[in-house]
Amino acid sequence: MKPNTMYRYLSVSAGALVVVLISGCGGGGGGSVDVADGGIRGTGASVGPVSGFGSVFVNGIRFETDGSVTSDDGISREDQLDEGMILRIDGQWRADGEGTAEQVEYDDTFRGEVVIVSETFDPDDSSIRESVTFTVYGQTIVADKQTVFKGMSLQTIDSGAFVRVSGWRLPDGRYRASYVGSLEVSLDDVEVEGRIDDSSVDVDLNRFSINGFPVEYDNTTIFGDGLTEDDLNNPGLVVEVEGRIGLIGEASGLIANNIEQDESRRYQRGDDDDIEFAGPVATAFDDADSTFTINGLTVLVPDDAVFEDGLTSADLQPGLLIQVEGSFLADGSVEAEEIDIRDANAEVEGPINQASIDFSARTFLVGGVLVQVTPLTIITDDDDDQRIGLADLNGAFDVEVEGIERSTDGGEVFLEATKVEREIEDDSDNEFEVTGRLGAIDDTTITVLGVRIRAVEGETEFDGIQRDQLMADFESGERPLIEVDYVEQPSGSSNFVADEVELED
């Protein structure tokens, strides 16, 4: 794998993932990374997951709000929101990371009962979930360690839980969860989104199905967003249905109070032309007309200058989570001004080096890895039951940090955190685990995320690849994805020794 094509091989995860524009000022230690919050100046719509409060952070912008939220899902105030919930904010924003919201809107993607379909586990610990796939009334949702949970966790969510989900629709019809929150059971207030099954509409019985799940409506059902009953027969129509669970014939189904357009309405043009949003690519970049589709929008790429941090047009494959900033054109498409990746590609676990915390620069070290916290970083407790900030990491804590490998103009590598999970107990005894692309290798060491680690055959276990093969691959221009378990020797922070090096899929 060539270094400039590494993004094409990243795994697509379900989560509330984030990105900001980074500029480097060189140097070392814990405070050398300069972060330019936000992106272009604009007036229009900003759509993305909440990453913080005071007032509300979305897409790297701190929007001043009046505290009110427009929603038909029981949320009317800002203090009812949680990190990971996808909002649409109409207002103004500036390149300095500040903005003013005229309106804040939230809408659940799903609300209902969980049925667990499948799980994947940490290859080193079969008791720890890496991801979980579940359904809500027939619709498939994927969540992983980057999904923000409230009132439960990735490890505890189980069949029978009643949840609200905020997420994105993937090209294959599944959804990837940005947020999953616990709710009290209420079968009289559920919500389902999805594509109407072909040939399932029966206007005589007022019925159709979404992925096999029956839906029934009557003359009291409200059709919103300009939809009519006739539109239900449009091929490929994706709708949002709210109502109650009841019997439809002899089967359980959804008796609709309201039927309207799906989540793509979040991204519709408002009174102004500018828009910034995050989402998974729907159709790949088309070289013929320099466009791709995402969130129901066609995006025009005027030139390669719009790509940030090594992203290329070839990387725009279905499912890759990105952020786009641009302006609406007369035909309803968006001309991009900036496109950046929002999928995490690296992580580090272990105790924070407390002496390294720099609150002004918003950086710290974990196992020698320089971690940069941004206005978009979501910081949670390991049980995800409370909002916490960078100051709450100042203590004897282990953390798990997921993010994007970046480098400054001076070549210093750092991890731009998308999510930091704090663990109360520090029980790792200076043991660390890092996952990332191989950055360098010589006769005695390997480098991952800027950390040089001693790794010698006979002292270090190599799993899935021989050390000589790893070196040969790197010398041929590849950057294999590896996981390293290592310890810090008492002699100093530069003295890291690998216990195990494993080739990741």
Side-chain angles (χ1 to χ4, degrees):
M1 184 184 315
K2 306 303 181 188
N4 63 349
T5 61
M6 63 178 290
Y7 288 126
R8 300 171 204 175
Y9 300 90
L10 302 180
S11 61
V12 176
S13 57
L17 305 178
V18 294
V19 72
V20 297
L21 309 179
I22 301 292
S23 62
C25 59
S32 62
V33 181
D34 184 27
V35 181
D37 301 333
I40 58 176
R41 179 187 299 271
T43 302
S46 181
V47 188
V50 177
S51 59
F53 295 90
S55 292
V56 172
F57 284 86
V58 171
N59 292 329
I61 304 296
R62 178 182 177 273
F63 286 95
E64 288 288 350
T65 74
D66 64 4
S68 64
V69 178
T70 300
S71 172
D72 60 3
D73 297 325
I75 293 175
S76 60
R77 306 185 314 274
E78 181 183 309
D79 61 8
Q80 295 173 297
L81 297 172
D82 285 307
E83 285 92 344
M85 289 181 170
I86 300 173
L87 301 184
R88 174 182 171 121
I89 295 181
D90 288 284
Q92 300 179 346
W93 62 90
R94 304 185 301 276
D96 65 0
E98 297 292 321
T100 302
E102 296 174 2
Q103 180 169 270
V104 177
E105 297 180 57
Y106 173 74
D107 186 27
D108 289 334
T109 311
F110 297 97
R111 200 166 52 254
E113 186 177 349
V114 168
V115 175
I116 300 294
V117 174
S118 63
E119 306 159 282
T120 62
F121 294 92
D122 187 325
D124 298 323
D125 188 341
S126 61
S127 68
I128 298 177
R129 283 175 172 168
E130 292 279 338
S131 66
V132 61
T133 300
F134 62 94
T135 62
V136 173
Y137 306 128
Q139 297 302 289
T140 302
I141 303 158
V142 184
D144 72 1
K145 293 188 294 182
Q146 296 173 2
T147 302
V148 179
F149 285 86
K150 180 72 172 181
M152 61 181 67
S153 72
L154 180 63
Q155 306 308 318
T156 61
I157 184 173
D158 204 354
S159 294
F162 198 86
V163 299
R164 71 163 86 240
V165 177
S166 184
W168 295 279
R169 189 171 190 267
L170 296 170
D172 61 6
R174 298 181 303 158
Y175 288 77
R176 76 188 270 176
S178 175
Y179 169 86
V180 179
S182 177
L183 289 176
E184 292 186 10
V185 176
S186 176
L187 298 183
D188 291 330
D189 183 21
V190 303
E191 182 170 337
V192 173
E193 181 178 301
R195 187 179 68 84
I196 294 177
D197 295 331
D198 294 337
S199 304
S200 71
V201 179
D202 187 329
V203 294
D204 293 327
L205 293 176
N206 295 345
R207 294 176 184 173
F208 60 89
S209 63
I210 298 175
N211 201 24
F213 190 75
V215 177
E216 184 176 87
Y217 59 95
D218 59 25
N219 57 8
T220 67
T221 302
I222 299 172
F223 284 81
D225 298 318
L227 288 180
T228 67
E229 184 180 20
D230 292 339
D231 294 323
L232 299 179
N233 278 305
N234 292 342
L237 180 66
V238 182
V239 295
E240 172 191 291
V241 183
E242 293 182 273
R244 62 182 177 85
I245 298 298
L247 284 178
I248 299 178
E250 297 181 353
S252 177
L254 201 168
I255 301 172
N257 298 328
N258 189 76
I259 302 173
E260 58 187 345
Q261 187 181 350
D262 73 311
E263 62 160 19
S264 63
R265 69 183 185 277
R266 296 174 181 154
Y267 307 94
Q268 291 178 341
R269 187 178 196 161
D271 295 333
D272 297 292
D273 292 337
D274 298 326
I275 186 169
E276 56 176 8
F277 60 87
V281 173
T283 61
F285 182 80
D286 187 336
D287 288 311
D289 59 9
S290 298
T291 64
F292 65 97
T293 63
I294 176 174
N295 296 338
L297 296 172
T298 298
V299 178
L300 171 67
V301 180
D303 53 56
D304 290 342
V306 303
F307 293 109
E308 298 289 328
D309 294 303
L311 193 69
T312 72
S313 59
D315 299 323
L316 299 178
Q317 299 298 320
L320 183 71
L321 194 68
I322 60 172
Q323 179 170 313
V324 177
E325 301 184 56
S327 299
F328 280 102
L329 301 175
D331 63 359
S333 63
V334 173
E335 182 174 9
E337 296 181 38
E338 291 178 358
I339 302 176
D340 209 337
I341 191 168
R342 291 187 70 163
D343 258 324
N345 61 5
E347 65 179 76
V348 64
E349 300 178 40
I352 294 177
N353 181 333
Q354 291 300 311
S356 73
I357 298 178
D358 186 328
F359 291 104
S360 61
R362 299 177 66 80
T363 59
F364 56 86
L365 295 172
V366 177
V369 176
L370 177 61
V371 177
Q372 173 72 63
V373 174
T374 79
L376 290 167
T377 303
I378 294 173
I379 305 176
T380 69
D381 230 355
D382 58 353
D383 59 5
D384 298 305
D385 279 337
Q386 60 175 312
R387 304 171 182 172
I388 63 174
L390 180 59
D392 298 299
L393 301 180
N394 189 17
F397 302 120
D398 274 22
V399 293
E400 180 175 338
V401 183
E402 301 187 28
I404 303 167
E405 180 181 346
R406 304 288 196 192
S407 60
T408 67
D409 291 341
E412 181 181 18
V413 177
F414 63 97
L415 182 63
E416 179 191 309
T418 60
K419 184 177 180 181
V420 179
E421 184 173 289
R422 182 187 73 174
E423 298 179 3
I424 298 298
E425 297 297 330
D426 177 6
D427 57 3
S428 64
D429 297 326
N430 284 334
E431 297 175 355
F432 304 93
E433 181 179 290
V434 63
T435 302
R437 299 289 172 184
L438 181 62
I441 185 170
D442 58 31
D443 290 338
T444 59
T445 67
I446 58 176
T447 301
V448 184
L449 288 182
V451 181
R452 192 178 184 190
I453 305 169
R454 179 177 172 81
V456 180
E457 289 278 8
E459 298 178 9
T460 301
E461 179 183 352
F462 285 82
D463 187 358
I465 193 170
Q466 297 296 316
R467 194 184 194 287
D468 290 345
Q469 184 61 51
L470 199 63
M471 181 176 287
D473 290 345
F474 184 77
E475 290 175 349
S476 69
E478 296 184 16
R479 290 191 62 197
L481 182 67
I482 60 175
E483 177 187 297
V484 183
D485 295 321
Y486 62 108
V487 296
E488 181 179 2
Q489 300 292 349
S491 56
S493 61
S494 63
N495 191 12
F496 296 107
V497 179
D499 290 327
E500 181 180 8
V501 178
E502 182 178 356
L503 185 67
E504 291 288 282
D505 292 334

